[in-house]
Amino acid sequence: MVRSTDLFVMSQHKSIQLGVNVDHIATLRQARGTTYPDPMHAADIARKAGADGITVHLREDRRHIQDHDVFSIRGNVNLPMNLEMATTPEMLKIAQTVKPYECCLVPEKRAELTTEGGLDVLKQKIELGDYVGALQEHGIKVSLFIDPDEEQIAASKELGVDIVELHTGAYADCGEDQRASEFYRIKQGAKLAHSLGIQVNAGHGLHYQNVAEIASIGELVCLNIGHSIVARAAMTGFYEAVFAMKQIMIGARLESEGQGT
Ligand code: PXP
């Protein structure tokens, strides 16, 4: 059991880092077209709770994070930003203006619910090479989101990227019978990329039940996690949210009846 006095020490431990993805705070806002909840506010809470970085995915269809979110988090939250994006000319311009700490290049399909697979670096080597160079020239570190496959890692190395993010989706979504082999793929991939001098991150589909196994891989530097954190926050914060609403209602009613203090 973790004692509360250990929490501060743990949050300062830098051997494994947490990048908090705040996309789904924006999903909730966009569902109603309101101004709340604000991903910048969530990013700042994440910083106070010990997050080491903030991830936002600015999708071409702007389904959750909006351009102004990227600028406000970059300008107001004192943590390295990891800007996930597709390799389009529009996104390149935005990244060169925002200058995040790091850009993670991902494949993007309009109809997908979330990023479905890693980049095919082998197939897109020339196109990716130009894109990687254009970001690095602006002092931005480049990460490629790839499946934990030897050829993809070797191709990433040839492009001179700073970081690879290994896709943990297949591991997270597979049945128990596949879990050990999917874990082995990630572990071997992390070892290979590390041995080639590339920083290795991982992410997608990680949650409170599976993260410990992935975090035990010593070569991994940062885990980028979003959906499970936002989902848990909705539950752990629900009591306070209902209580606060009821308090305001009762307070207003008492006041209107002349019983307020
Ligand atoms: N890493 C990448 C490259 C992603 O595209 C995503 C999802 O936006 C994540 C990490 C976080 O995944 P999840 O929301 O499942 O934790």
Side-chain angles (χ1 to χ4, degrees):
M1 168 140 160
V2 177
R3 289 171 300 149
S4 60
T5 47
D6 292 337
L7 284 175
F8 178 75
V9 176
M10 285 173 62
S11 69
Q12 301 300 303
H13 199 279
K14 292 292 174 206
S15 73
I16 179 85
Q17 299 177 4
L18 171 62
V20 175
N21 179 318
V22 294
D23 291 354
H24 296 300
I25 298 293
T27 300
L28 202 54
R29 179 191 62 196
Q30 296 308 111
R32 279 291 183 88
T34 47
T35 55
Y36 66 86
D38 184 346
M40 198 247 298
H41 187 196
D44 199 48
I45 294 170
R47 180 187 62 78
K48 290 174 183 145
D52 302 285
I54 298 298
T55 294
V56 285
H57 185 172
L58 186 65
R59 296 188 72 104
E60 286 183 88
D61 62 11
R62 305 301 198 273
R63 68 174 67 162
H64 38 53
I65 291 291
Q66 305 297 302
D67 299 48
H68 65 81
D69 294 319
V70 178
F71 284 93
S72 70
I73 292 173
R74 179 73 177 93
N76 295 296
V77 181
N78 191 18
L79 278 182
M81 171 183 274
N82 171 26
L83 177 59
E84 283 180 21
M85 58 191 212
T87 53
T88 65
E90 183 201 17
M91 289 299 153
L92 181 61
K93 259 195 208 152
I94 293 172
Q96 289 174 338
T97 308
V98 174
K99 288 194 176 39
Y101 173 78
E102 153 193 354
C103 277
C104 180
L105 306 181
V106 300
E108 207 175 284
K109 297 185 204 127
R110 284 202 174 236
E112 68 191 356
L113 285 178
T114 182
T115 315
E116 282 170 355
L119 284 168
D120 192 338
V121 186
L122 289 170
K123 259 198 190 154
Q124 303 173 61
K125 228 170 178 179
I126 295 172
E127 178 203 321
L128 277 173
D130 292 343
Y131 210 90
V132 169
L135 288 167
Q136 288 176 332
E137 274 167 20
H138 279 70
I140 301 164
K141 289 188 188 296
V142 180
S143 172
L144 299 182
F145 188 48
I146 56 172
D147 290 324
D149 294 336
E150 208 177 309
E151 321 81 67
Q152 298 295 341
I153 294 166
S156 302
K157 171 68 183 173
E158 283 174 34
L159 288 184
V161 298
D162 308 276
I163 304 163
V164 288
E165 179 170 334
L166 301 181
H167 196 322
T168 49
Y171 163 83
D173 296 339
C174 71
E176 274 312 310
D177 52 332
Q178 295 287 315
R179 186 92 65 230
S181 64
E182 289 295 342
F183 177 70
Y184 185 73
R185 271 179 81 204
I186 295 166
K187 193 169 176 153
Q188 290 307 105
K191 277 186 194 304
L192 174 62
H194 179 74
S195 74
L196 296 173
I198 312 174
Q199 177 179 322
V200 204
N201 297 344
H204 212 285
L206 296 178
H207 52 62
Y208 294 85
Q209 280 73 45
N210 65 15
V211 72
E213 189 169 43
I214 296 297
S216 74
I217 300 173
E219 288 79 9
L220 293 177
V221 173
C222 180
L223 303 182
N224 290 314
I225 306 178
H227 188 265
S228 61
I229 291 177
V230 174
R232 180 165 171 144
M235 288 299 118
T236 55
F238 210 69
Y239 181 96
E240 188 278 335
V242 172
F243 192 82
M245 185 62 79
K246 187 86 188 274
Q247 290 304 106
I248 293 168
M249 290 162 53
I250 291 170
R253 182 56 59 92
L254 288 176
E255 198 154 320
S256 74
E257 289 172 356
Q259 294 172 47
T261 50

